[in-house]
Amino acid sequence: MNAELSIPDSSLCTKATELVLELSPKFLFNHSVRTYRFGGLLAQREGMKVDPELFYLASILHDIGLTKRCDHGHSFEVDSADVADEFLTHHGYPRDKIDIVREAIVLHTSLLAEEKQPEIALVHFGAGFDVGAFHIKDLPSDKVQQILEAYPRLGFKKAFAEVWMSEAKRKPNMLADRVNKEIGFMDILSNAPFED
């Protein structure tokens, strides 16, 4: 695996990884890591200066609100941001950086993220590449393949569709439900260029 934007080896990143591994099904954990890796490829291509730890924490925690233990009844991106905030606060992460992680997570499905600082925009783009909302052909195919081999999809389309539809059904008029109605998230997911 190329180390152009390797996973930071700080104690906090290790603890965040362990938390997400403990709470998430493997397909969702791998998606969170691929979000970081794909975003990292884009950052490299565009010559962006990125705080790897900050970007990794936002990426790895961005969907934790879709897990049973972290579903507190709000829209999943808000639950994810709240869990990330609590976790990072508990571990003494600086408040200004926690606020960036929160914003990256809350906005990761929104076009507003594209106008924000790199760590916020890249969570949006990394997750978008993985679910099929953006053209993966814009990234180097050999490096994309390395990422997919290191963090396989494990039937991601079907598994994520089930989680997404459950979220939409249980929480009408929140993000998953609105996205389904307004832009057809299931169409985006089913047209993703990856084989599962």
Side-chain angles (χ1 to χ4, degrees), residues 39-49 122 125 138-139:
L41 290 181
L42 183 63
Q44 182 185 37
R45 188 190 79 186
E46 298 298 318
M48 295 177 174
K49 294 187 89 170
L122 291 171
F125 283 116
D138 294 340
L139 298 178

Side-chain angles (χ1 to χ4, degrees), residues 1-2 41 139-149:
M1 186 78 197
N2 289 339
L41 290 181
L139 298 178
S141 61
D142 60 327
K143 293 183 179 179
V144 168
Q145 190 56 42
Q146 287 175 347
I147 291 167
L148 293 172
E149 288 171 6

Side-chain angles (χ1 to χ4, degrees), residues 34-42 126 129-130 139 144 147 194:
R34 290 192 306 267
T35 293
Y36 176 76
R37 292 292 195 182
F38 289 150
L41 290 181
L42 183 63
F129 279 121
D130 200 44
L139 298 178
V144 168
I147 291 167
F194 300 116

Side-chain angles (χ1 to χ4, degrees), residues 102-165:
R102 279 194 70 89
E103 189 171 13
I105 292 172
V106 168
L107 294 181
H108 81 269
T109 63
S110 171
L111 295 176
L112 294 173
E114 297 177 15
E115 305 302 319
K116 302 291 183 174
Q117 70 186 71
E119 294 82 3
I120 295 171
L122 291 171
V123 175
H124 167 72
F125 283 116
F129 279 121
D130 200 44
V131 299
F134 301 113
H135 296 291
I136 202 71
K137 68 180 188 296
D138 294 340
L139 298 178
S141 61
D142 60 327
K143 293 183 179 179
V144 168
Q145 190 56 42
Q146 287 175 347
I147 291 167
L148 293 172
E149 288 171 6
Y151 301 96
R153 289 176 62 82
L154 305 175
F156 177 76
K157 288 180 190 180
K158 181 178 185 297
F160 195 74
E162 289 173 4
V163 169
W164 186 269
M165 294 309 290

